[in-house]
Amino acid sequence: MTGRTSKKADAHAALADLRDGAVVAIGGSLFHNKPMRLVREVARRGVRDLIVVAVTQASIDVDLLVAAGCVAEVRVPYLGLEHHGLALNFRRRAADGRVKVWDCDETQVIAGMEAAAKNLPSGWTKTGVGTDLPNSNPDLRPVADPITGEPMIAVPAIRPDMALLHATRGDQWGNLAYAGYPFSDVLIAEATRRCGGKVIASVDELVPASTFTADPFLADIAHILVDAVVEAPWGAHPCSSHGNYQYDDAHLAHYQQSARDGEDAMRRWLAEHVQAPESHEAYLDRFLTPSRLAALRRDIYARQ
């Protein structure tokens, strides 16, 4: 291991290069494997005019950034809080024009990310053929396959400046392992690095490098695709970390009620949950009691 540089970093240092107007891709899906420790740090920093891409579904992660005033545009096929209802902060700001909506379906976002990963100008998909999506989103272009003549939709490459991921385990060199399903995180990492962007991952546990050198196949994402690893136990909270802990439904319900009560209530929620805790440890001490931690771990087994 001599001559290698450790990629272990704290969240503030890992996100130091994030600038206004950047394209940010967020991994995970819905309430699962979301890099919430990193998302809260972005909100704390007050970055503005971000273009946020979720591959493929988003929930509190993107809605929180919208509420914090960080987002200019979303490229997300689905953004909502499932059984808790619509993503209300996003809905308000999209309705009054404060946030632009890049209308799309899941395969179009994937096609754009795959094009970036392959260093191609565009990707193609059948999704959207015969619909009005090219009218609502002029970036989606009807084309004909040059070999078969079959109608397709061309999607411009989506090139992230930064990717935010959450994995179960990682080492200081940047190898990442998931105890459950990694969703599209590998694609996000490949597309971001191909474009010269930075991949930042939080992990619930930092393990010895020997874990992966002994068996490299344990790494779902290899170190060559990762720029920084942030050790953050319970770093996906209030979302789940697959195979490790369940999402915190009570916390999500409280968030949604604050969003329902309006922007003043959301500002208070952000002040309490994002701005007030001076560290990740302070956040955990404030919002996760030992009994709550035990319940979330127990639930992951009860629901299997």
Side-chain angles (χ1 to χ4, degrees), residues 7-233:
K7 296 177 181 178
K8 181 181 178 181
D10 62 38
H12 183 76
L15 295 169
D17 291 337
L18 184 59
R19 298 288 181 262
D20 292 356
V23 178
V24 177
I26 301 179
S29 183
L30 296 175
F31 296 147
H32 311 290
N33 294 0
K34 287 294 184 179
M36 295 304 299
R37 165 70 181 101
L38 303 178
V39 167
R40 285 189 291 271
E41 185 64 28
V42 172
R44 280 174 62 90
R45 291 191 56 215
V47 184
R48 294 291 181 263
D49 298 326
L50 299 178
I51 298 173
V52 179
V53 183
V55 188
T56 55
Q57 297 169 330
S59 61
I60 187 175
D61 53 327
V62 176
D63 195 58
L64 187 156
L65 291 176
V66 169
C70 299
V71 180
E73 179 180 328
V74 297
R75 300 185 177 189
V76 181
Y78 171 83
L79 172 50
L81 274 80
E82 288 285 86
H83 53 284
H84 292 294
L86 300 173
L88 299 175
N89 296 296
F90 163 72
R91 187 185 188 192
R92 273 192 293 267
R93 293 183 182 236
D96 63 20
R98 285 179 287 173
V99 171
K100 179 182 177 182
V101 179
W102 196 80
D103 203 7
C104 60
D105 206 332
E106 291 184 6
T107 59
Q108 289 148 4
V109 176
I110 291 173
M113 296 291 286
E114 287 179 338
K118 297 172 183 177
N119 199 26
L120 296 173
S122 66
W124 291 16
T125 175
K126 294 181 180 180
T127 304
V129 171
T131 73
D132 63 351
L133 267 175
N135 296 324
S136 61
N137 185 350
D139 284 343
L140 308 179
R141 307 287 182 85
V143 295
D145 182 89
I147 296 175
T148 66
E150 185 177 4
M152 306 284 283
I153 296 291
V155 184
I158 299 174
R159 306 182 188 278
D161 298 300
M162 184 171 285
L164 308 179
L165 308 177
H166 181 80
T168 311
R169 300 186 306 276
D171 67 10
Q172 64 173 319
W173 311 125
N175 294 297
L176 305 177
Y178 293 74
Y181 191 58
F183 298 106
S184 299
D185 286 16
V186 178
L187 174 60
I188 294 171
E190 290 174 342
T192 304
R193 284 305 301 269
R194 169 69 80 167
C195 301
K198 291 194 172 182
V199 176
I200 314 299
S202 59
V203 295
D204 289 312
E205 181 185 7
L206 198 69
V207 299
S210 59
T211 303
F212 297 101
T213 55
D215 186 358
F217 291 101
L218 291 177
D220 296 291
I221 298 179
H223 61 92
I224 57 173
L225 295 176
V226 179
D227 293 278
V229 177
V230 177
E231 186 175 19

